[in-house]
Amino acid sequence: MAEPQSMDVPASGYLVVRASGAAAARAAILGGRGDPEDVQLLLRCPVPRAVAESGAKLTFADATLHLQPSGVVMLTVAAAKLSISFAELRPLMFRPVEVDAPLRSLFAGAVAHVVAAGPRLDPHGLAHHLLGLAELVLRSALRGELDRVDALAARRREALEYMRAHLGEQSLSADKIAEALYISRRRLYQLFDDGQGVSERLKGLRVERAKALLADPAKAGRGIAEIARDCGFTSAPHFSRTFRRATGRTPREFRERALRG
């Protein structure tokens, strides 16, 4: 499947939800909160052949349907008319969200029928129809996204638990973690796409364990090199350099300060 492209031209299979209107613009420029006047749904799907070259725009009360020649359909609806609040929609806002094939097919069919029959139908009824279509797409996409986030969070917890259980192994690596979880290395990195990454997260866990051991009076008789091995560092000098970069103190300085109180 193609990768998401941008907020203006979503890739096939992806939905982009945007806020528009003066309040949203002020919030974007000045910061803070501002509920939008309108919510825009952008989804690439097949458009009727008659409008594939020139595009089409149908405007109704509280809803506008804009078909672009590129195949992107933009459905704009009044935010106040939706039963979903803007706060509830935040997980979908301003980023490509994957939409499954059945929902894309339903959306494309509904859009094609509106374009074909729109001039002969009651405009107020069409506005309600488009609002209902927006509700269906938003609720379905939101449910799918929340399920996906929950699944990612569960897998991330599994990865962190495995890391903590095997911190003392110097051979612990992204490949080994991925193999233990029966996922690909690429999938593992997707679980930690917050900018820190797998190796940095692993290093941070090792430093945290080292801090706990160094601050424990019951472990005061253990040498720095022994603690380094217990935390999975390849050598005492490597441990000291990593620990100092993370905490601003050497392991010995940290221990002395912690044990003094």
Side-chain angles (χ1 to χ4, degrees):
M1 181 175 290
E3 293 296 323
Q5 296 175 9
S6 72
M7 291 194 303
D8 295 313
V9 187
S12 178
Y14 287 83
L15 166 74
V16 170
V17 182
R18 303 188 305 194
S20 66
R26 283 195 299 272
I29 295 172
L30 303 176
R33 299 175 61 86
D35 288 352
E37 284 86 14
D38 299 313
V39 171
Q40 296 178 331
L41 293 73
L42 286 82
L43 185 65
R44 183 188 296 276
C45 63
V47 299
R49 184 176 300 177
V51 297
E53 295 183 359
S54 59
K57 187 174 183 179
L58 305 175
T59 302
F60 308 99
D62 300 322
T64 300
L65 183 64
H66 184 194
L67 283 71
Q68 302 173 5
S70 63
V72 174
V73 176
M74 182 169 69
L75 175 57
T76 304
V77 296
K81 296 292 183 178
L82 294 171
S83 65
I84 317 172
S85 70
F86 184 61
E88 292 172 311
L89 290 176
R90 288 191 187 279
L92 300 178
M93 301 301 294
F94 300 108
R95 62 186 184 83
V97 175
E98 191 168 2
V99 176
D100 60 21
L103 183 58
R104 296 199 308 270
S105 178
L106 184 149
F107 182 80
V111 167
H113 286 122
V114 168
V115 172
R120 297 185 295 277
L121 299 177
D122 177 73
H124 295 287
L126 271 178
H128 284 291
H129 177 66
L130 291 175
L131 282 168
L133 180 61
E135 286 265 2
L136 177 60
V137 172
L138 290 171
R139 286 180 176 275
S140 299
L142 182 60
R143 185 181 66 181
E145 184 66 7
L146 292 178
D147 288 345
R148 187 190 72 82
V149 169
D150 286 344
L152 284 175
R155 294 299 271 169
R156 188 182 298 115
R157 285 193 297 272
E158 290 179 18
L160 288 171
E161 288 170 5
Y162 184 86
M163 290 181 194
R164 292 189 180 100
H166 296 82
L167 278 179
E169 300 175 11
Q170 295 180 7
S171 62
L172 186 60
S173 63
D175 287 332
K176 190 169 183 179
I177 298 167
E179 182 180 355
L181 297 178
Y182 301 101
I183 60 177
S184 67
R185 180 188 176 98
R186 180 174 180 272
R187 180 62 170 165
L188 176 65
Y189 278 99
Q190 288 176 341
L191 298 179
F192 297 98
D193 62 353
D194 55 1
Q196 190 173 29
V198 177
S199 60
E200 287 300 313
R201 187 66 55 94
L202 186 56
K203 187 186 300 181
L205 291 173
R206 283 175 163 149
V207 168
E208 287 304 311
R209 173 171 290 186
K211 288 167 65 176
L213 293 175
L214 291 167
D216 187 349
K219 305 290 192 301
R222 303 181 70 183
I224 299 298
E226 188 178 359
I227 288 178
R229 285 194 302 272
D230 288 347
C231 296
F233 289 97
T234 56
S235 66
H238 175 227
F239 169 48
S240 295
R241 288 193 302 271
T242 303
F243 192 90
R244 185 167 189 170
R245 280 197 297 267
T247 67
R249 296 193 291 274
T250 67
R252 194 173 306 280
E253 291 168 345
F254 181 89
R255 167 181 268 177
E256 291 174 353
R257 183 168 182 175
L259 293 180
R260 283 200 306 267

